[in-house]
């Protein structure tokens, strides 16, 4: 005889592991316009260079240098920690595609 499990006790398989496919900003002190542009740039770079984090970081850095002046830095990857010094109002730390982290900051 099979045991009947009530609906509320059944777990959906997708509830066990959540993968965020949207950009998730963890910290930013940028103004809203710059933050939106930087976030869209990061998403574009990570989608374009899905298998090459170095090229994604290079694209982010070079584009930010052109739009907002020199001395931008970018790190793209998984499982890294950091402590950095940056210019005020010029930091973005976000996640994209689950566990891909992007940190963009300006330091001259």
């Amino acid at each position: 005889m099979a045991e009947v499990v009530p609906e509320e006790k059944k777990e959906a398989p997708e509830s066990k592991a959540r993968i965020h496919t949207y950009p998730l900003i963890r910290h930013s002190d940028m103004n809203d316009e710059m933050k939106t542009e930087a976030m869209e740039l990061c998403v574009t770079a990570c989608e374009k260079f899905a298998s090459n984090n170095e090229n994604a970081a290079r694209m982010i850095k070079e584009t930010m240098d052109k739009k907002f002046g020199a001395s931008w830095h970018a790190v793209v990857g998984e499982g890294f920690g950091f402590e950095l010094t940056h210019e005020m109002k010029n930091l973005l730390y976000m996640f994209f595609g689950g566990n891909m982290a992007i940190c963009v900051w300006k330091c001259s």
Side-chain angles (χ1 to χ4, degrees):
M1 189 166 169
E3 183 179 319
V4 177
V5 179
E7 275 301 308
E8 58 270 6
K9 290 198 177 191
K10 290 182 183 177
E11 284 190 37
E14 63 272 357
S15 69
K16 293 187 185 225
R18 290 185 181 175
I19 296 178
H20 301 287
T21 56
Y22 54 89
L24 177 66
I25 296 178
R26 294 292 297 161
H27 178 76
S28 176
D29 64 357
M30 294 177 171
N31 65 46
D32 289 338
E33 182 183 333
M34 184 186 286
K35 179 170 47 176
T36 302
E37 283 192 47
M39 180 187 63
E40 289 174 356
L41 172 62
C42 291
V43 169
T44 302
C46 288
E47 287 175 343
K48 183 174 182 180
F49 299 106
S51 60
N52 192 329
N53 295 345
E54 186 177 340
N55 285 345
R58 182 176 289 115
M59 177 183 169
I60 294 166
K61 185 248 187 300
E62 290 173 356
T63 306
M64 292 296 285
D65 280 347
K66 288 176 189 169
K67 283 188 176 183
F68 301 108
S71 299
W72 283 91
H73 307 275
V75 176
V76 177
E78 300 176 23
F80 65 88
F82 60 90
E83 181 176 333
L84 53 87
T85 302
H86 68 94
E87 290 183 15
M88 295 293 292
K89 308 288 185 196
N90 289 291
L91 172 70
L92 173 72
Y93 177 50
M94 63 178 277
F95 288 95
F96 178 69
N99 53 355
M100 183 64 64
I102 301 110
C103 185
V104 182
W105 73 97
K106 185 174 185 177
C107 182
S108 52

